[in-house]
Amino acid sequence: MKFGLLSTAALCGLLFATSASAQQGANQAVKIGILNDQSGVYADYGGKYSVEAAKMAIEDFGGEVLGKKIEMVTADHQNKPDLAVSIARRWYDVEGVDMITELTTSSVALAVQELSNQEKKIDIVVGAASSRVTGDACTPYGFHWSFDTRALGVGTGGALTEAGGDSWFFLTADYAFGYSLEKDTGDIVKAKGGKVLGAVRHPLNSSDFSSFLLQAQASKAKVIGLANAGLDTTNAVKQAAEFGIVAGGQKLAGLLLTLAEVNGLGLQAAQGLVLTESFYWDRDDKSREFADRFFKRTQRMPNMIQAGTYSSTLSYLKAVKAAGTKDSETVAKKLKELPVDDAFAQGGKVLANGRMVKDLYLFEVKKPSESKKPWDYYKQLAVVPGDKAYPTAAESGCPLTK
């Protein structure tokens, strides 16, 4: 009995020492988590390529900050909010992670942001789109980087409505992101004098869009807005071609379509699609230099999610350095003070609600005959000024600004 008590005491001591050692190690590093979909419907949209972009940012920063090594962990949340929260909680409580970024999938992003607020840890959403992230669900530690549903609605929805596409029907992913994208785009369409004739919702990761597309076709709407993303968008576009929807005179609007999905579709299928992105690899010298380095590592050009993850990681590290600490409140304050200047954004600014504001771009996908080199997919139609694309912090619905 006495031996057992001693053994238990020794074991407890060992566990305490191990825990203390792990925590001490965590305190001696600045640790970043990349949490996203790496095997499902959004695997090309962000996935392992966003992980590589974050690695580039850490390397470009020099691998350490405040004399501490910069470490990175990564995981696949499988588009499941409960799994994502479980991973994030372990990262925060056990592994000493200081900041989580990427966070593709709006339901995941909103759940992890709520946990991050409880834990007083910084999260920077890049891959998720819901404008609620810096709206009614905003937190003192939450940031939204690359785009959101309102900006996409202003860019694609506003432009197509002004060009005569004044009646819309939505094909919507049946979760938080889809609802937000449908609502924000619909609001812009109506503000521009257009009408929303209806909507149909489909499950995430659908393989058969036939019944949904037939309803959209029967609506006689001039524009069918695809309020989905990733493989759901590419599958819907491919099947729309089989039904002759575009050939019949209706226009498809990819409301969240990126270079990754256009590449997956190919120019023959994607030509003529109008979309909004906040980054294009061939826009200027800075974007081309970054894209060339990214291509050497991944054999593909980056989209706005991957370039945005590079920027969110780099901006966080700059804020830690400027703050002189990795304390979340101090770093969050610095993130809102510092300008964002890198390959992704020039002259970007972070509002009081955590929304990073920069210009977006309206593109049309080129015809195969117009493409002059590999990955030469877009022609720019317009610049969407950041101040027009996003509401002010006071207008966002974020309670922190009231």
Side-chain angles (χ1 to χ4, degrees):
M1 186 66 142
K2 187 176 181 182
F3 176 77
L5 288 172
L6 286 172
S7 297
T8 301
L11 178 60
C12 289
L14 178 62
L15 289 172
F16 179 80
T18 303
S19 176
S21 176
Q23 192 60 47
Q24 185 179 17
N27 289 336
Q28 290 174 354
V30 172
K31 208 162 186 178
I32 294 169
I34 308 298
L35 186 56
N36 63 3
D37 175 8
Q38 297 176 18
S39 59
V41 65
Y42 301 133
D44 274 358
Y45 167 91
K48 63 184 181 182
Y49 307 108
S50 288
V51 173
E52 202 62 36
K55 286 180 183 176
M56 287 176 65
I58 292 169
E59 291 168 14
D60 287 353
F61 196 79
E64 64 175 43
V65 61
L66 306 181
K68 302 175 187 286
K69 183 181 177 183
I70 303 164
E71 296 179 356
M72 188 180 78
V73 293
T74 178
D76 181 356
H77 60 49
Q78 301 174 36
N79 298 307
K80 298 174 181 176
D82 55 344
L83 176 60
V85 168
S86 176
I87 293 167
R89 192 184 302 278
R90 185 184 77 244
W91 280 359
Y92 287 149
D93 294 347
V94 179
E95 299 186 31
V97 168
D98 300 295
M99 184 273 281
I100 297 177
T101 188
E102 222 278 40
L103 293 168
T104 295
T105 313
S106 292
S107 52
V108 163
L110 291 165
V112 172
Q113 178 156 291
E114 184 178 350
L115 172 68
S116 300
N117 187 41
Q118 295 168 10
E119 298 272 354
K120 296 187 176 180
K121 297 280 191 174
I122 289 174
D123 68 276
I124 306 180
V125 176
V126 181
S130 176
S131 56
R132 291 190 59 213
V133 170
T134 50
D136 67 301
C138 73
T139 77
Y141 310 102
F143 296 83
H144 205 174
W145 220 250
S146 190
F147 66 102
D148 67 18
T149 50
R150 186 183 187 276
L152 297 176
V154 170
T156 309
L160 288 176
T161 304
E162 289 175 357
D166 56 3
S167 61
W168 285 64
F169 187 94
F170 290 96
L171 199 68
T172 303
D174 193 11
Y175 75 103
F177 149 66
Y179 312 150
S180 186
L181 187 51
E182 178 190 317
K183 180 187 182 302
D184 286 342
T185 305
D187 287 348
I188 295 297
V189 168
K190 288 181 276 192
K192 297 284 185 182
K195 296 180 179 179
V196 175
L197 303 184
V200 62
R201 290 174 175 173
H202 67 82
L204 181 67
N205 202 13
S206 294
S207 58
D208 183 4
F209 285 86
S210 55
S211 65
F212 311 121
L213 288 166
L214 285 170
Q215 291 180 64
Q217 190 174 38
S219 74
K220 305 297 184 185
K222 293 179 182 177
V223 181
I224 298 172
L226 301 177
N228 51 21
L231 287 176
D232 282 338
T233 300
T234 57
N235 286 335
V237 171
K238 287 174 182 176
Q239 291 173 39
E242 295 170 11
F243 284 100
I245 287 177
V246 175
Q250 290 174 296
K251 194 167 189 68
L252 288 179
L255 297 174
L256 178 44
L257 192 66
T258 78
L259 195 74
E261 292 77 59
V262 171
N263 184 62
L265 282 165
L267 291 183
Q268 189 62 44
Q271 60 182 310
L273 284 169
V274 175
L275 57 97
T276 301
E277 283 211 60
S278 54
F279 175 87
Y280 181 47
W281 72 269
D282 203 19
R283 275 204 78 252
D284 54 35
D285 289 342
K286 272 193 171 184
S287 62
R288 281 188 286 271
E289 187 274 335
F290 169 75
D292 286 344
R293 291 194 294 124
F294 185 87
F295 186 88
K296 288 174 184 175
R297 302 168 74 119
T298 64
Q299 303 307 301
R300 62 193 290 136
M301 290 301 185
N303 64 6
M304 66 175 169
I305 315 304
Q306 293 134 16
T309 302
Y310 172 87
S311 177
S312 69
T313 305
L314 193 62
S315 294
Y316 171 74
L317 293 172
K318 289 178 179 178
V320 170
K321 182 179 179 180
T325 176
K326 62 177 187 173
D327 170 72
S328 293
E329 290 194 23
T330 311
V331 174
K333 184 178 178 183
K334 281 297 175 187
L335 274 165
K336 293 173 182 177
E337 291 175 357
L338 297 174
V340 182
D341 282 295
D342 51 43
F344 172 72
Q346 293 84 53
K349 59 185 178 183
V350 181
L351 304 182
N353 62 343
R355 173 70 257 174
M356 198 277 277
V357 173
K358 68 174 290 293
D359 292 346
L360 295 94
Y361 312 98
L362 185 70
F363 296 111
E364 182 177 316
V365 179
K366 290 182 175 182
K367 298 173 183 176
S369 60
E370 295 172 319
S371 180
K372 305 302 180 188
K373 56 188 175 182
W375 295 89
D376 177 23
Y377 294 163
Y378 293 167
K379 52 186 175 184
Q380 185 174 306
L381 302 179
V383 175
V384 185
D387 291 339
K388 302 281 186 186
Y390 301 104
T392 65
E395 295 167 342
S396 69
C398 172
L400 297 176
T401 63
K402 294 180 181 178

